[in-house]
Amino acid sequence: MRYPKRVLHFLGLPVLLIALWWVLTLGATNFFVPKPLELLQTFWAVWAGERFLTDFVPSVLRLLVGLGLTILLGVVFGVLIGSVRWLRSLTEPMLEFFRAIPPPVLVPLLMLLVGINDQMKIIVIISGAIWPVLLNTIEGVRAVDPVLSDTFRTYSITGFVRLRHLVLPGASPQIMTGVRQSTSIALILMVISEMFGSSSGLGFTIVLFQRAFAIPEMWSGIVVLGLLGLALSVISKSIENRLLKWYSGLKEVQHAS
Amino acid sequence: MPVNVLNDGERIPDNSASEPPMLSVKGLRKVYPVPGGEIEAVRDLTFDIAPGQLVCVVGPSGAGKTTLLKCIAGLLAPTSGSIELRGTKVVGPPHSMAVVFQEYGRSLLPWMSVRANIELPLKNQRIPRAERTKLVDDALAAVELSHVPDSYPWQLSGGMQQRVAIARAVAYRPEVLLMDEPFAAVDAQTRADLEDLVRHIWQKLGVTIIFITHDIDESVYLGERVLVLSNSPTVVQEDLTIDLPVDRDQLTTRSSARFNELRGHVYEQIQLAKSRTLSGPIPATKKGHKS
């Protein structure tokens, strides 16, 4: 598709919805529903100033560190568990148990154990967001083609070279699926962990505004979260496009035949 | 290894009296455990292959051909008996062996270019870059794929993909090249071209080739020697020397009287192999579905 057409598709619906919103709130007086122009002014006033450094940046840092560790730990343990059969049968019931625990309930517990600090928030993010990456990596590693595996054995390719050139690339489509799911869970958990004990961050700020009945300000915080999620998705999509170029090509060929 | 050790008893046909064999299969038996019993895929195989020979192994489907290949390649451990490569017992995939599998689409890495696929085993052996490049270029030239080194395997046709797999094996410079029904999944015209390619590479490199196929014509056209395997449980039904001229081509060789005699003979043997199993003694182990 040509570039201008793609931009048009990307922006088309948002522009339409904002126009609709503007028309519908022209004569509205509801205190809880903001108007587009009003919200834009508030957005700029709140987030372009001091709050950018005191709340936005700490939140994003927590999210990125948490997500980075999530992916690292998920892939490392996923490769281990996926490659070693006895480890898999040993851990499978445990994984199902921990996966079933809703991560927000860990927040009060971790506040007691770790304290009210950044480490607690990062641990909350990891403990809730790791499951999609971990489980998808395990499945991806298990599903490595047996013919490719035999081929590597006949050429005596083992150890790190096998991991680097067979296991990780072979599992990469599955790993990326897990990363995408984990990213959205990490964003949610970042906000939740900041809503409980915290003195900075997006979650903290939104709750603060709500309690102070600063309704347009509260809405502007929600918009920031939406935009952050959008940015993360664009970034992960572009990484995926680069990393999995071979995969989409392969799928296209297989569908054509 | 002294020659007299190899000629122990009458079981081994004396094909290469002067040279110790490249590969020696002795009393090979392979049994797969399955729920409720066992399947005997290979009963008792014994044969030698001389260095530089091109041997075709042919047999009805389910005759344990792939089991035999996997045992030779060191991918499967025999239940009993042994396989020796230059007098050394095979316990794992030997370094001097390369295998070309039937499933070309699944034996090449889809995330690597053609060149990188061929180069990977050489990199793994820590062969210096300059030598590596030359080996890959030569191998690509040998399979006539010099024009697509940067393509991905899935961008090529099936026949071309199998040629990449062959180029990878050639660049590896093995002493023994195992091929497991490599052309079963390509169309007839491509297949004829690939058969000639195998003969060409064999003549040029002097590598020992074991070519497994279910196609009788293919085995006679390609081989210097054809081993006919019986139906499951497998034994060597016939060990046939193919006395066709060294220079073969699809048209004249395949229409020659001698070719037809030989293929008729192999066909008869395979029919015999089938009927023998049906009316023959029931094996001691439980008979299950064929592998």
Side-chain angles (χ1 to χ4, degrees), chain A:
Chain A
M1 232 190 296
R2 267 171 39 242
Y3 195 68
K5 206 171 170 187
R6 266 172 59 183
V7 171
L8 209 68
H9 280 186
F10 190 84
L11 293 176
L13 193 59
V15 167
L16 204 74
L17 285 176
I18 289 170
L20 195 69
W21 173 26
W22 183 71
V23 170
L24 288 177
T25 55
L26 264 181
T29 51
N30 189 335
F31 175 65
F32 296 108
V33 180
K35 295 178 181 171
L37 205 65
E38 189 188 344
L39 186 65
L40 188 72
Q41 284 161 349
T42 317
F43 184 89
W44 187 254
V46 173
W47 296 105
E50 200 189 334
R51 289 226 177 265
F52 183 80
L53 285 178
T54 58
D55 293 299
F56 181 78
V57 172
S59 276
V60 171
L61 282 179
R62 285 170 199 144
L63 177 65
L64 290 183
V65 172
L67 189 59
L69 287 172
T70 295
I71 294 169
L72 185 73
L73 292 172
V75 170
V76 168
F77 284 108
V79 167
L80 269 175
I81 296 171
S83 316
V84 185
R85 189 172 304 169
W86 64 264
L87 204 58
R88 196 157 62 232
S89 15
L90 202 68
T91 51
E92 218 145 54
M94 294 292 285
L95 293 180
E96 291 301 326
F97 174 79
F98 283 115
R99 194 167 86 112
I101 299 174
V105 305
L106 294 176
V107 176
L109 182 71
L110 288 170
M111 274 165 69
L112 292 173
L113 288 176
V114 187
I116 300 173
N117 50 27
D118 284 342
Q119 285 93 305
M120 179 273 280
K121 298 180 183 73
I122 288 166
I123 292 173
V124 169
I125 291 175
I126 296 171
S127 63
I130 198 169
W131 308 108
V133 176
L134 181 68
L135 298 173
N136 274 291
T137 306
I138 293 173
E139 283 313 305
V141 169
R142 280 182 64 185
V144 163
D145 196 301
V147 177
L148 273 178
S149 213
D150 274 354
T151 305
F152 270 63
R153 280 184 69 197
T154 60
Y155 287 114
S156 308
I157 304 174
T158 53
F160 178 74
V161 184
R162 184 174 185 276
L163 180 72
R164 164 79 184 75
H165 291 294
L166 176 64
V167 177
L168 285 180
S172 60
Q174 289 254 54
I175 294 176
M176 280 313 291
T177 305
V179 166
R180 235 178 308 134
Q181 292 171 10
S182 289
T183 303
S184 45
I185 296 176
L187 183 64
I188 294 169
L189 289 176
M190 176 204 80
V191 177
I192 289 177
S193 71
E194 288 171 349
M195 283 177 165
F196 289 87
S198 188
S199 54
S200 70
L202 291 168
F204 163 76
T205 314
I206 290 170
V207 172
L208 191 75
F209 285 144
Q210 185 220 355
R211 287 184 185 154
F213 285 95
I215 301 303
E217 285 80 359
M218 183 197 80
W219 276 104
S220 75
I222 293 170
V223 172
V224 170
L225 285 176
L227 290 176
L228 186 59
L230 182 69
L232 283 173
S233 133
V234 169
I235 291 169
S236 77
K237 197 99 203 160
S238 78
I239 293 175
E240 194 175 320
N241 282 348
R242 196 159 308 171
L243 208 65
L244 299 183
K245 205 174 67 185
W246 64 269
Y247 186 67
S248 44
L250 179 67
K251 283 278 156 281
E252 223 167 273
V253 171
Q254 280 172 353
H255 283 305
S257 60

